[in-house]
Amino acid sequence: MSDRRFALLLMMPAAIFLAVFVGWPLVKFITDSFFEISPIAGGPREFVGFDNYATAFGSEAFQNAAWRTVVYTVIVVTAEFLLGLAVALLFTALGRQSNVFRTLFMYPLMIAPVVAGLLWRFLLIDNFGIVNQLLFEWGILQSPDQIQWLSDPDIALFSVALPDIWLTTSFITLVLFAGLQNIPGDVIEAARIDGANYWRLLISVIIPLLRPVIAVALIVRGIDAARAFDIIIIQTDGGPQGSTTTLSLLIYRTLTRFGDPGLASAMGTVYLIAMLAVSLVAIALIWRPGGNAR
């Protein structure tokens, strides 16, 4: 048996698994978006073409949820990248002395999102939340209920983003730290000999060399943040006044609460295409395969 055939044979179980459990459900999911489907199992199906898509794009709830999803994703990914890069650079500078700190810093990755949501709900809950109580005792707030973290529509979306940032900044740090270990030391040393200060070294050498790693980290975390569901539903259930209802929650409610599988499939298909487009743009703008540091 040739190496090519042997490789295909090894990949066949995974390919079959993906075809059965990913490919076919995806085809069925997209196909359902063109039908009006009864929520009752075995109920009638009526082909409606692009009517579900027209309903989705014309829905104010869908437009608002899409905008909140974008804002939530930008907040989470930006904060995680900046914090993750700073911590990764710190760990790199410390070298072996950072071993213990790296271990401790990775602990949040082991916590389930549901547990993180419950934890931060207790921290931020109105009237007797630990965060407000500490701020009150330190004299920053005039009363323990001055800031309504999860009840004020103006800040609720930011509040539900905090657990996500706390939970997965470790992932960004881990990826960027691994990328920093692969940067050739002679390149850094040559830049220093040429007189580059730390910020010039970071902007002109380190970050350009990290482009592929940054692209992977941002794409993975961007998609993961955009489909945030469990953390938000545990803390606010999409409230108050729908201020934390993202696309994932809206699609879930359209399917389960409003009993419209066809419309939910159309919304999900639009979300899928949008995530694919964003990923391709990120690869084109950030990765730049073959690009050289300047």
Side-chain angles (χ1 to χ4, degrees):
M1 182 181 297
S2 65
D3 291 343
R4 181 181 179 85
R5 290 185 178 181
F6 182 67
L8 292 175
L9 182 63
L10 292 178
M11 292 188 295
M12 188 175 298
I16 295 175
F17 178 87
L18 291 175
V20 173
F21 294 101
V22 178
W24 169 244
L26 180 60
V27 172
K28 185 71 166 55
F29 176 75
I30 297 176
T31 302
D32 287 346
S33 66
F34 297 100
F35 289 84
E36 182 177 345
I37 305 172
S38 171
I40 302 174
R45 295 166 56 97
E46 179 183 355
F47 181 77
V48 294
F50 289 94
D51 286 357
N52 286 326
Y53 290 92
T55 302
F57 282 113
S59 170
E60 184 176 354
F62 179 79
Q63 297 173 8
N64 292 336
W67 171 246
R68 293 189 202 100
T69 302
V70 172
V71 174
Y72 178 88
T73 303
V74 170
I75 292 174
V76 169
V77 175
T78 301
E80 289 179 359
F81 174 73
L82 294 177
L83 291 174
L85 179 61
V87 176
L89 291 171
L90 177 61
F91 286 163
T92 302
L94 291 176
R96 293 182 179 273
Q97 299 177 1
S98 67
N99 290 344
V100 176
F101 298 105
R102 290 205 306 266
T103 303
L104 295 175
F105 195 75
M106 297 304 161
Y107 276 163
L109 285 176
M110 306 176 189
I111 300 176
V114 173
V115 176
L118 288 172
L119 172 64
W120 279 86
R121 177 177 173 83
F122 286 122
L123 291 175
L124 299 176
I125 197 167
D126 302 338
N127 300 325
F128 55 86
I130 297 176
V131 172
N132 274 1
Q133 185 63 37
L134 290 176
L135 293 177
F136 171 68
E137 292 181 359
W138 293 339
I140 299 177
L141 299 182
Q142 298 179 354
S143 64
D145 59 349
Q146 182 175 345
I147 300 179
Q148 307 290 325
W149 295 99
L150 301 177
S151 300
D152 187 348
D154 295 331
I155 63 173
L157 191 63
F158 169 77
S159 300
V160 296
L162 291 177
D164 204 346
I165 296 171
W166 172 77
L167 192 65
T168 51
T169 296
S170 301
F171 169 77
I172 299 289
T173 302
L174 183 63
V175 173
L176 295 180
F177 179 76
L180 288 170
Q181 305 312 300
N182 293 323
I183 295 180
D186 55 349
V187 175
I188 304 295
E189 187 64 26
R192 288 174 176 170
I193 293 175
D194 289 340
N197 57 28
Y198 183 79
W199 292 110
R200 183 64 178 176
L201 184 66
L202 177 64
I203 299 299
S204 300
V205 178
I206 295 177
I207 290 182
L209 290 174
L210 282 178
R211 278 176 185 159
V213 177
I214 292 174
V216 171
L218 293 184
I219 291 172
V220 172
R221 275 304 301 141
I223 294 176
D224 190 49
R227 64 179 183 84
F229 176 82
D230 36 17
I231 288 180
I232 296 178
I233 202 170
I234 286 294
Q235 293 187 97
T236 62
D237 194 24
Q241 302 175 20
S243 59
T244 58
T245 299
T246 57
L247 278 177
S248 296
L249 270 71
L250 180 63
I251 294 171
Y252 169 76
R253 288 176 176 171
T254 302
L255 176 63
T256 59
R257 182 178 298 181
F258 305 120
D260 196 339
L263 180 58
S265 297
M267 291 178 176
T269 302
V270 172
Y271 163 79
L272 177 65
I273 295 174
M275 289 298 98
L276 179 61
V278 171
S279 300
L280 293 175
V281 171
I283 291 175
L285 295 181
I286 303 175
W287 193 330
R288 299 180 187 175
N292 297 319
R294 297 181 180 179

